Amino acid sequence: DGEDSLVLGKGKKVVNVAPFVVARDCIDKWIDKNRYLIAAATRKRKDEIERVKLAEAIEEESDVEEEEEEDDVDPNACTLKLRLDGKKKVHEVVLNANNPLSSVVEALPVSIEDDQEVQLICAAKRLAIKSTDEESMKKSLRDHGLMPTAAIVIKVSREDSNGSSGGKLAERAAAKRKQKRGSHTMQSIGIYAKDDNNKAELIDGGGGVW
């Protein structure tokens, strides 16, 4: 036709790659558009995995601590809070539950002399035992129901020669009360006249003439 033209690969098959280029461009555009969302989803997934691992580690650690605490607890430990009568300071001691009650006296922070008597009082257990009660003192802390913990008040007094604590003081107090009461007669309270031999002379005792 008189027009110039450029012919390449005449008679050969040619593959059109234009659709592939368009598809690649679309994928790149989609990735660029959703890049932030993809990164956020990936980060969220990692956080969930780390959270699960952390929860498992905490649970395992707590189980180990509970096992250690159980191992540390002594089933025969008896915690006693001792207080001397008249004092405010409390002494805490830990004894074996199978120890006799007399071990409480030995654990006192003060020394007890031979002529002194000790009384152990536990209001919660309704317990009041003197050191002279050998049978009760030989019983274990478990037998007296002092497990696992108890508060005991210690009363220390001095025995007299008769073996009773404060016996002379009690006798003096009783004699003094008896002396105060005394004995009264009809004459001492003013029922009869001053002349005891003449019962006919009566006086008014406040409730009429007798």
Side-chain angles (χ1 to χ4, degrees):
D1 295 335
E3 296 180 0
D4 295 334
S5 61
L6 179 62
V7 178
L8 297 175
K10 186 176 181 179
K12 295 182 180 181
K13 294 181 178 179
V14 178
V15 178
N16 187 7
V17 296
F20 297 100
V21 174
V22 172
R24 188 187 65 184
D25 292 341
C26 292
I27 293 173
D28 291 340
K29 290 180 180 179
W30 182 89
I31 292 175
D32 292 339
K33 183 179 181 179
N34 298 277
R35 189 183 304 276
Y36 174 77
L37 298 177
I38 294 173
T42 303
R43 188 164 52 251
K44 183 178 180 181
R45 178 59 180 169
K46 290 182 179 179
D47 292 342
E48 290 178 353
I49 294 174
E50 294 297 330
R51 190 179 299 109
V52 172
K53 291 181 179 180
L54 180 61
E56 292 177 352
I58 293 175
E59 186 176 357
E60 291 177 358
E61 185 176 354
S62 62
D63 292 341
V64 172
E65 290 179 355
E66 290 179 358
E67 291 178 358
E68 291 178 353
E69 290 179 356
E70 291 177 357
D71 294 339
D72 293 340
V73 174
D74 186 359
N76 293 321
C78 181
T79 304
L80 300 177
K81 296 182 179 181
L82 309 179
R83 181 176 64 84
L84 291 174
D85 186 39
K87 304 292 183 180
K88 293 183 179 180
K89 187 175 181 180
V90 176
H91 305 272
E92 184 172 313
V93 297
V94 180
L95 302 175
N96 190 291
N98 298 319
N99 287 356
L101 187 61
S102 58
S103 62
V104 177
V105 180
E106 298 173 358
L108 290 175
V110 297
S111 58
I112 305 299
E113 299 179 3
D114 295 338
D115 60 342
Q116 287 181 322
E117 181 184 71
V118 178
Q119 186 177 19
L120 308 178
I121 301 173
C122 179
K125 306 297 182 180
R126 297 182 179 180
L127 188 73
I129 298 176
K130 293 184 178 181
S131 56
T132 53
D133 188 352
E134 296 182 0
E135 183 177 353
S136 298
M137 295 297 287
K138 289 180 181 179
K139 291 184 179 180
S140 66
L141 302 176
R142 191 191 305 275
D143 293 338
H144 284 293
L146 300 176
M147 287 285 294
T149 180
I152 298 178
V153 177
I154 312 296
K155 293 184 68 174
V156 180
S157 56
R158 193 174 299 277
E159 296 181 350
D160 61 10
S161 57
N162 295 328
S164 60
S165 177
K168 292 183 178 179
L169 181 60
E171 291 176 2
R172 288 197 299 269
K176 191 173 183 181
R177 288 195 299 270
K178 184 176 180 182
Q179 184 178 1
K180 285 184 178 180
R181 287 198 301 268
S183 59
H184 302 286
T185 62
M186 299 294 283
Q187 292 86 350
S188 65
I189 60 176
I191 297 299
Y192 291 117
K194 294 180 180 179
D195 187 1
D196 293 338
N197 296 325
N198 188 3
K199 298 299 187 294
E201 295 182 9
L202 304 179
I203 65 172
D204 188 357
V209 177
W210 294 72

